[in-house]
Amino acid sequence: MSDANASKLLADCCGASRWVAGMLARRPFGSRAVVLSTADEIWRSLDAGDWREAFSHHPRIGEQKSAAPQSERGSAWAAGEQSGVKRAHDDLLAELAAANREYEQRFGYTYIVFATGKSAEEMLALARERLRNDPEVEIRAAAEEQRKITRLRLNKLLGEVA
């Protein structure tokens, strides 16, 4: 696969350009386990600016559009990951929107949570809990959530291209 095609696919998994470049530089991978361990290693070597770049590729919980452009695949993955919000009532959606705004005002980036399998109520409770974090603790918590999202998406991607 060309670097250009691989870059697009990897960017669907994680929007941090330095992470994508690191993954491209480490190709080829011999196994799924090597892909995932390399992804984690590179992610953990990045800094808060890189993490915020990745966060910008996610829509707010309960929304469809991200700050940074997403591919059709990335948008579909995000919608599926947030499917627990689809069943939420309007009052809960309003509370989530308010929590998203408060989070962004406090920390300066989109609230990131590994949403797969979580209900809207769970995501709201986690947002409220994490709003109590100091900024240094929270950026690391958000980065860990992004790492889990990236692993999930890499596994989906590897299932598609296998």
Side-chain angles (χ1 to χ4, degrees):
M1 179 181 299
S2 73
D3 280 354
N5 286 341
S7 178
K8 288 177 189 173
L9 294 173
L10 289 166
D12 286 340
C13 298
C14 177
S17 54
R18 286 186 44 206
W19 179 86
V20 171
M23 291 294 287
L24 288 173
R26 300 279 291 270
R27 291 187 325 149
F29 303 105
S31 68
R32 179 183 300 258
V34 173
V35 171
L36 297 175
S37 66
T38 302
D40 285 351
E41 178 187 331
I42 292 168
W43 180 250
R44 289 185 176 119
S45 75
L46 301 179
D47 62 29
D50 298 309
W51 297 340
R52 284 189 295 273
E53 179 187 11
F55 304 161
S56 73
H57 289 262
H58 292 274
R60 291 177 186 101
I61 297 296
E63 296 184 12
Q64 301 295 312
K65 291 271 190 189
S66 59
Q70 282 189 302
S71 71
E72 192 173 310
R73 175 186 283 109
S75 294
W77 282 347
E81 292 158 6
Q82 292 192 32
S83 63
V85 174
K86 292 178 185 169
R87 296 178 294 280
H89 55 80
D90 289 344
D91 290 344
L92 182 56
L93 291 174
E95 289 181 66
L96 269 170
N100 281 330
R101 285 190 304 275
E102 183 179 352
Y103 186 97
E104 287 177 25
Q105 288 171 354
R106 175 149 166 68
F107 299 115
Y109 50 85
T110 302
Y111 167 52
I112 300 297
V113 64
F114 184 79
T116 300
K118 290 181 177 64
S119 68
E121 291 88 351
E122 289 172 294
M123 288 183 267
L124 178 60
L126 286 168
R128 288 178 173 158
E129 180 180 313
R130 287 174 49 196
L131 277 162
R132 295 191 294 259
N133 287 340
D134 71 48
E136 186 60 33
V137 168
E138 183 52 31
I139 190 76
R140 294 193 177 285
E144 176 58 17
E145 295 297 294
Q146 174 65 54
R147 187 194 66 77
K148 292 187 286 189
I149 294 165
T150 300
R151 285 180 70 90
L152 174 72
R153 291 180 176 191
L154 281 168
N155 275 308
K156 288 177 183 178
L157 179 62
L158 292 170
E160 288 178 13
V161 297

